[in-house]
Amino acid sequence: MSGIRRSFALRVAALSAALVVLVCGAGFGWAYFQVAGALRTQLDAAIATDAEGYLEDLENFGPQGFAASVAVAARRRGALVLLRTADGGRVAGALDGAPIGLRGFTTLRAPDGRDLRVLGAALPGGLELMVGADLAPVRRGAAALTGTLPVAGAVAALAALLLGFVVARRLELRLRAVSEAGQAVITGDLSRRLPLHGTGDEFDRLAGTMNAVLARVEALVEGLQSTTASVAHDLRSPLFRLRQQLEAAVARPREPEADTRTLEASLAELDGVLVTFSALLRIAQVEAGLTGAEFEVVDLSALAGAVVELYAAVAEDAGQRLDTSVTPGQRVRGDPALLRQAIANLIENALTHGGPAVRVEVAVRAAPGSGPTLQVSDTGPGIPTIEHGRVLERFYRLDRSRNTPGSGLGLALVAAVARLHGASLRLDDAAPGLSVTLTFPKPDAFPEI
Amino acid sequence: MRVLLIEDDTSTADYLAKGLREVGHVVEVARTGRDGLFLALNEGFDAIITDRMLPGPDGLSILRALRASGNRTPVLIVTALGEVDARVDGLDAGADDYLAKPFAFSELRARLDAMTRRAAATSEGEAAVLRVADLEMNLLRRIVRRAGQPIELLPTEFRLLEFMMRRPGQVLTRTMLLERVWDFNFDPTTNVVDVHVSRLRRKLDTGGPPLIRTLRGAGYVLGPG
């Protein structure tokens, strides 16, 4: 019983069948009464015609002939006709149970159990005429005419039961597929997706939305996993070095100068760990979209100009060059603090990895068909094309960069900031050197400011 | 200066209280948000340093309650949460400054000084000319002179110097300069601040004895040696 109550298919089937039975029942009753009513009207008309026939006899043949014709009709044809005096004295014919003084139509039950339709009329000379007909044929007719309805109703109810079951069953199966996929995701198979039938119906649209949600969840979990792996890998090593230093220092006899050196080295190591740690945290926040800041309209040109102004001096002191080619007034929707950091990271990367005489150019331009582009290119050694994808990953560093400062997180943060802003990030070989291009989405409908 | 420190972690609280006492402050320590709020509301302090996450009402709630009661004591929020959240939420709630854990004690000290001096200085009007020793900056005409000799500065150097001249004798950390002068809320891997300070220093010091001192491990101070 609880199985039936919990099966959507069975419930829907039973409900639709019950509905069909109810509608058919009501239809049957209504049709029966309509047909019976129509047939009775016909019967009444026939009775009235009969009565008129007798009255014509009265006019044509006088009271004697009339009485004789009534008697003949009653005897020979079995017609239900009665002629009697006003006080009930029978003159001719027979109609048992007809009430004395009846005028007009009535329905009555005869002593022999038949249901009759009777018309009573007063005749001149204190006589009254009762003409009747059996109602049984009318009832039989109505029943015959409407008798197919219960059968049709039963068939329809059966069909409804079947159809309801099939439709609901399919619904149930599709929902079960959703539910199973959900269960699979819960138990850890994050790559599981809902099946699409390609019909583009409500279910496909729902499944599509759910799949997008699942993809986002998978991406977030992957991010978390890779963060965990990165933390294990890149934070453990410096912490391990720190531990070794301190352990060795504790083991040897106290000696102020050496101790100071150890402590300073440990502090420096620890600071490095903290920098890496906060960079990781920042990337994780940006990737999860949890920066706490609302997007606003940002003048990308002005922002890039200010960052370049800050780094120009750094480049100049190191014998490098930092140039700009900025089209003024290029605006994007975004988080200025994150955009500033992304630009700074790109410039720092170019200056740090570009070599002593590198020339770096920061360009902000309008692009046809999209929002503005931001490009940072350098004339340094560049990155081999096969490595372009990997340098955007956390902690990935080219072998030759192992000994230059940096956490290996700069480009990963730029990639995360780009994703948050819906911007595409492209690395190109600038021959020689590397060029990184961020293409922002079209700034449709900026509120005027 | 009377400082209220609201911090639930015993070793951090002891370390900070000891450090603050060594530099001459009178420190009251509260271990829970409830005690902290009670002290803050009932006793006068020159500054309050509060952890963001506390048992009882948290740092932000304390801050809101204080500000709602009309108390304007400068508040520095110290937090182990990400810097971005701390900045947005803390400043929204009415904090004067925020600092992400972990931090160097010198950074806390510098920010505490800056915060309380700023609170004292807001009552003074905006001066059109700033003076430190024989250095003079005219903000309206954007001219800098040392001992009467004009000094040419780039816009970014002018902003940096203006920031420093408004806080003479005060320790300014690299992070403070990055945040306030260039709006950078992260630590760059290159020595951006040092480069700009040393350029500024070269331009200023041609006309006399050094004005900008470097405090190793802490930051910079502008003022006559």
Side-chain angles (χ1 to χ4, degrees):
Chain A
M1 191 60 205
S2 78
I4 291 175
R5 242 183 279 129
R6 291 179 58 180
S7 161
F8 179 69
L10 286 175
R11 262 184 298 141
V12 166
L15 204 71
S16 51
L19 196 69
V20 166
V21 166
L22 203 74
V23 168
C24 280
F28 171 70
W30 184 78
Y32 179 83
F33 285 110
Q34 284 298 111
V35 171
L39 289 175
R40 204 185 56 212
T41 310
Q42 267 186 9
L43 191 65
D44 287 355
I47 292 172
T49 312
D50 257 5
E52 273 165 26
Y54 292 121
L55 290 181
E56 275 174 28
D57 285 351
L58 176 63
E59 274 175 33
N60 293 343
F61 309 117
Q64 290 302 316
F66 169 56
S69 104
V70 166
V72 167
R75 201 171 53 242
R76 294 216 184 127
R77 292 191 278 127
L80 294 170
V81 59
L82 173 66
L83 183 67
R84 64 184 174 198
T85 56
D87 53 2
R90 194 179 77 93
V91 177
L95 211 169
D96 294 342
I100 291 163
L102 174 70
R103 299 292 177 268
F105 284 102
T106 190
T107 302
L108 58 86
R109 172 153 292 188
D112 58 5
R114 288 188 298 170
D115 282 330
L116 304 176
R117 188 77 179 155
V118 177
L119 170 68
L123 298 180
L127 294 172
E128 61 177 25
L129 178 71
M130 301 285 143
V131 182
D134 195 345
L135 268 174
V138 169
R139 298 223 166 116
R140 274 201 302 278
L145 278 175
T146 56
T148 50
L149 279 177
V151 179
V155 171
L158 207 67
L161 195 70
L162 211 69
L163 189 72
F165 186 75
V166 169
V167 167
R169 185 77 186 155
R170 289 196 53 168
L171 196 72
E172 206 175 54
L173 285 177
R174 292 186 74 163
L175 287 177
R176 185 177 295 169
V178 172
S179 165
E180 274 170 7
Q183 282 296 333
V185 171
I186 288 169
T187 51
D189 179 9
L190 288 174
S191 61
R192 184 70 179 267
R193 294 290 179 271
L194 305 185
L196 291 178
H197 288 239
T199 50
D201 62 3
E202 297 90 330
F203 283 99
D204 268 14
R205 290 201 296 273
L206 178 67
T209 308
M210 290 301 296
N211 283 344
V213 170
L214 289 176
R216 175 94 178 113
V217 169
E218 190 183 14
L220 286 176
V221 171
E222 264 171 15
L224 184 68
Q225 278 166 348
S226 81
T227 307
T228 318
S230 314
V231 167
H233 178 261
D234 269 62
L235 288 184
R236 196 177 271 172
S237 338
L239 286 174
F240 185 61
R241 279 199 299 276
L242 183 61
R243 194 181 185 286
Q244 278 176 316
Q245 279 174 14
L246 293 176
E247 198 175 20
V250 168
R252 67 164 191 257
R254 298 274 62 79
E255 189 192 318
E257 270 183 34
D259 285 352
T260 307
R261 272 201 306 279
T262 306
L263 287 175
E264 280 175 350
S266 304
L267 263 184
E269 192 87 68
L270 206 50
D271 282 343
V273 171
L274 290 174
V275 165
T276 304
F277 184 78
S278 56
L280 270 178
L281 199 65
R282 186 98 161 180
I283 292 175
Q285 281 181 328
V286 172
E287 284 188 339
L290 302 173
T291 51
E294 299 271 317
F295 270 20
E296 51 188 273
V297 177
V298 181
D299 186 335
L300 188 64
S301 310
L303 196 88
V307 180
V308 167
E309 191 188 305
L310 182 59
Y311 281 100
V314 178
E316 203 180 301
D317 277 16
Q320 301 166 320
R321 269 182 69 189
L322 178 57
D323 296 334
T324 51
S325 158
V326 173
T327 310
Q330 295 303 310
R331 297 190 299 171
V332 297
R333 181 173 283 282
D335 178 342
L338 290 177
L339 291 171
R340 202 176 282 124
Q341 183 168 5
I343 299 171
N345 280 9
L346 289 173
I347 295 176
E348 284 195 339
N349 264 340
L351 293 178
T352 314
H353 302 294
V358 70
R359 195 179 150 263
V360 179
E361 190 188 71
V362 176
V364 175
R365 297 192 185 95
S370 75
T373 64
L374 169 85
Q375 189 175 53
V376 178
S377 48
D378 64 65
T379 56
I383 296 176
T385 316
I386 354 173
E387 308 252 39
H388 280 184
R390 303 212 55 193
V391 291
L392 299 177
E393 290 171 15
R394 274 168 266 205
F395 294 120
Y396 187 77
R397 309 191 68 185
L398 298 176
D399 285 337
R400 64 161 192 270
S401 308
R402 294 273 169 213
N403 296 316
T404 46
S407 55
L409 291 169
L411 275 177
L413 183 93
V414 174
V417 171
R419 258 200 305 281
L420 185 71
H421 286 80
S424 70
L425 173 63
R426 214 180 63 228
L427 270 58
D428 290 303
D429 193 348
L434 176 71
S435 113
V436 182
T437 312
L438 280 159
T439 306
F440 287 86
K442 220 183 185 102
D444 39 315
F446 275 138
E448 277 311 312
I449 41 171
Chain B
M1 206 161 63
R2 266 173 67 78
V3 178
L4 172 62
L5 174 66
I6 315 175
E7 167 64 76
D8 59 324
D9 181 69
T10 314
S11 86
T12 308
D14 290 349
Y15 168 71
L16 293 181
K18 181 167 171 287
L20 290 170
R21 285 184 185 118
E22 272 170 11
V23 297
H25 298 308
V26 178
V27 184
E28 284 267 4
V29 180
R31 306 276 184 205
T32 66
R34 216 168 57 96
D35 294 353
L37 184 57
F38 181 80
L39 284 173
L41 285 171
N42 292 295
E43 292 184 33
F45 290 97
D46 298 306
I48 297 171
I49 301 170
T50 178
D51 194 3
R52 173 149 175 196
M53 284 195 270
L54 288 168
D58 67 3
L60 288 187
S61 310
I62 294 175
L63 182 55
R64 287 198 196 92
L66 270 184
R67 295 294 183 247
S69 71
N71 187 318
R72 298 268 149 250
T73 311
V75 173
L76 172 65
I77 292 203
V78 166
T79 172
L81 295 176
E83 300 142 59
V84 189
D85 299 320
R87 183 166 53 104
V88 174
D89 299 350
L91 299 185
D92 275 358
D96 296 83
D97 205 351
Y98 67 93
L99 195 51
K101 281 183 184 175
F103 48 81
F105 182 75
S106 55
E107 183 77 38
L108 177 76
R109 190 186 159 191
R111 287 186 183 250
L112 189 64
D113 281 355
M115 196 172 80
T116 47
R117 290 197 203 195
R118 195 162 59 228
T122 42
S123 48
E124 298 166 18
E126 279 281 304
V129 179
L130 302 172
R131 281 193 188 83
V132 175
D134 56 351
L135 186 64
E136 186 184 296
M137 171 181 274
N138 188 318
L139 292 169
L140 297 177
R141 297 169 59 202
R142 321 266 324 155
I143 292 174
V144 177
R145 290 173 197 277
R146 178 147 193 208
Q149 292 300 308
I151 299 173
E152 289 289 321
L153 293 182
L154 295 173
T156 186
E157 291 162 347
F158 190 91
R159 276 213 309 278
L160 174 62
L161 184 61
E162 181 190 342
F163 184 81
M164 296 181 92
M165 286 185 78
R166 287 184 184 279
R167 293 155 186 83
Q170 209 175 308
V171 180
L172 304 171
T173 66
R174 289 175 180 79
T175 320
M176 281 166 78
L177 293 175
L178 278 169
E179 275 180 22
R180 305 282 169 70
V181 180
W182 290 289
D183 235 348
F184 267 41
N185 290 293
F186 59 98
D187 285 323
T189 43
T190 47
N191 54 344
V192 203
V193 178
D194 299 333
V195 165
H196 284 277
V197 171
S198 57
R199 289 183 154 225
L200 184 61
R201 182 184 271 153
R202 275 202 299 279
K203 289 190 179 177
L204 295 184
D205 290 354
T206 48
L211 270 181
I212 300 176
R213 280 173 297 141
T214 306
L215 299 188
R216 196 165 163 268
Y220 300 98
V221 180
L222 177 75

